[in-house]
Amino acid sequence: MTTAHKHKVLRVDLAERSYDILIGNGLVASAGEHIKPLLASPRVLTITDENVAQHWLEPYRRSMTACGIECHELILPPGEQTKSFEYLGQVTEWLLETGVDRKTTLVALGGGVIGDLAGFAAAVTLRGIPFIQVPTTLLSQVDSSVGGKTAIDMPQGKNLVGAFYQPRLVLADMDVLDTLPDREFMAGYAEVVKYGLLGDSNFFEWCENHGKALAAGDSAERAHAVETSCRAKARVVAADEREEDQRALLNLGHTFAHAFEIEVGFGDKLLHGEAVGMGMISAFELSHLLDLCPGQDVERVRRHFEAVGMPTDIRALSDASWTAERLISHMGRDKKTEDGRLTFILARGIGEAFISRDVDQTVLRDYLEKYLAS
Ligand code: GLY
């Protein structure tokens, strides 16, 4: 059997935990060909969700079966609530009941929720079974499926219980993006733009020139965006797998986003990628206020998100109950807070982000107060 489409291969270099990211078309429909060479036993358990299963389970399964792989699937409800202790229990029980040993591979066929949950289940079942990511959203292709962060949410906050656990392979299929709702695609696009803003001004310029084509469905432009993003992420992860230092740069916009998401509530009103887009604008505005970043760069960032039709102003969702104090207290509950000091990713300009743990709280409070009042 041959693969009809060409695909790109990127390597995440992590010594004995290194793996490939394949990017291209037709990768779900040929999943078996790519997965089979990695299997220690021809038996694969797959976790997916109802939405993804509707479009992609059948071609995935057909390819796996054609390659002689015995397949079992667990289909979970879509949505953030699935990334919970309750579903972790369900998944691990299902793995044990279906029959799993240390040679059985677990595949996550889905977006960030399925990838994070399945990855954590793989990390803890039998103290670790092989795991493969088949990300089906733009956000999971360019961010969560690469780098081994796995987790579930807790009542105290998002992603608070988890593990660093690397997949053995990532299959990023451009075809799956065609069945993604536009809004969800664009939320993932914020994470693409992030790579330009944090370290690659040429890529940000590419986004300015190609963002609309990519949003309209151009598969080649999408593949280029995913490839550039994954290359950047692979480089950062290879240098700092456990976020002891520079990996924190990948959190550009996330300190603000985290506070916005807590205020609005996690769900359809504000998607994570939308919060990150607005959070990145705030990070640039704060950098400008601190005299670090030229005003025209802040405007370029905002203009680009406006041009591709993304929300740029969290105030459309806020009300009188929002205060600077409350947002700062949400920021303090972020995992990146150390000894009570908030961590911000600031920028000296487009493509020049850096980690700051000493943002003057008065400037931050002033910024938020003026922002909420204007
Ligand atoms: N999502 C940020 C990271 O993987 O480090």
Side-chain angles (χ1 to χ4, degrees):
M1 197 177 310
T2 52
T3 308
H5 301 278
K6 283 209 161 71
H7 56 260
K8 284 276 174 57
V9 183
L10 304 182
R11 188 86 175 148
V12 183
D13 262 316
L14 286 167
E16 72 285 358
R17 280 167 290 103
S18 300
Y19 53 95
D20 287 338
I21 308 168
L22 274 48
I23 301 164
N25 293 90
L27 291 168
V28 169
S30 60
E33 291 170 46
H34 308 293
I35 290 175
K36 183 144 189 212
L38 301 177
L39 299 180
S41 97
R43 197 156 174 278
V44 164
L45 308 185
T46 299
I47 314 277
T48 188
D49 75 25
E50 287 155 11
N51 293 341
V52 174
Q54 201 187 327
H55 297 287
W56 296 105
L57 188 53
E58 207 255 306
Y60 164 81
R61 200 170 209 292
R62 202 175 331 115
S63 157
M64 298 288 274
T65 311
C67 290
I69 302 168
E70 182 191 326
C71 269
H72 300 266
E73 299 91 26
L74 177 65
I75 303 174
L76 298 175
E80 188 73 28
Q81 73 283 355
T82 303
K83 232 177 90 172
S84 63
F85 228 110
E86 184 197 337
Y87 280 100
L88 178 70
Q90 261 195 42
V91 169
T92 46
E93 277 187 37
W94 175 75
L95 291 173
L96 297 172
E97 272 165 22
T98 311
V100 63
D101 62 37
R102 285 220 175 113
K103 291 185 169 167
T104 313
T105 294
L106 178 62
V107 173
L109 174 67
V113 166
I114 292 296
D116 282 11
L117 173 70
F120 189 39
V124 296
T125 301
L126 307 184
R127 299 206 181 93
I129 59 170
F131 167 56
I132 286 175
Q133 289 267 22
V134 185
T136 58
T137 60
L138 181 59
L139 193 137
S140 57
Q141 291 186 349
V142 300
D143 186 31
S144 59
S145 69
V146 176
K149 279 190 180 174
T150 73
I152 53 170
D153 300 335
M154 296 297 286
Q156 291 77 6
K158 269 182 76 163
N159 295 328
L160 290 184
V161 171
F164 285 99
Y165 193 66
Q166 300 294 341
R168 304 275 168 108
L169 175 71
V170 179
L171 296 181
D173 186 349
M174 296 306 101
D175 294 347
V176 300
L177 302 178
D178 294 339
T179 51
L180 205 59
D182 287 348
R183 187 176 165 213
E184 208 177 318
F185 178 86
M186 291 315 293
Y189 179 67
E191 298 275 2
V192 170
V193 174
K194 180 184 82 178
Y195 294 102
L197 293 180
L198 73 85
D200 186 347
S201 59
N202 289 335
F203 183 54
F204 180 73
E205 199 178 324
W206 183 92
C207 290
E208 289 178 312
N209 294 328
H210 299 259
K212 281 189 184 153
L214 184 141
D218 187 311
S219 194
E221 306 278 37
R222 288 177 172 192
H224 177 77
V226 173
E227 185 192 334
T228 309
S229 303
C230 287
R231 201 183 290 285
K233 179 140 191 192
R235 204 178 317 115
V236 173
V237 168
D240 178 24
E241 183 182 8
R242 298 179 73 89
E243 199 170 309
E244 276 149 350
D245 184 30
Q246 294 297 299
R247 184 165 177 171
L249 288 173
L250 299 176
N251 295 318
L252 175 62
H254 284 62
T255 305
F256 287 99
H258 184 72
F260 299 159
E261 285 180 286
I262 293 177
E263 277 293 308
V264 175
F266 296 94
D268 279 356
K269 260 173 109 178
L270 176 65
L271 303 181
H272 175 65
E274 293 171 340
V276 169
M278 291 188 265
M280 290 193 292
I281 295 172
S282 286
F284 270 75
E285 283 176 343
L286 180 62
S287 303
H288 177 57
L289 215 64
L290 290 163
D291 274 335
L292 294 163
C293 173
Q296 66 260 34
D297 282 16
V298 184
E299 275 323 296
R300 251 178 97 187
V301 178
R302 177 189 300 285
R303 266 202 313 275
H304 179 55
F305 283 123
E306 279 168 1
V308 294
M310 287 198 65
T312 53
D313 199 338
I314 192 64
R315 287 166 296 191
L317 295 174
S318 69
D319 60 36
S321 69
W322 288 44
T323 61
E325 221 44 64
R326 259 169 65 162
L327 290 175
I328 293 171
S329 107
H330 297 326
M331 290 172 180
R333 282 164 47 201
D334 194 275
K335 281 195 296 312
K336 298 179 291 301
T337 302
E338 283 177 8
D339 303 327
R341 283 180 307 156
L342 302 177
T343 301
F344 282 92
I345 311 305
L346 300 178
R348 295 196 175 85
I350 287 170
E352 294 175 65
F354 66 97
I355 303 163
S356 169
R357 299 193 205 283
D358 56 7
V359 168
D360 184 333
Q361 297 267 327
T362 322
V363 179
L364 174 65
R365 190 169 291 102
D366 275 4
Y367 164 69
L368 289 168
E369 274 166 4
K370 287 198 185 106
Y371 179 69
L372 291 173
S374 57

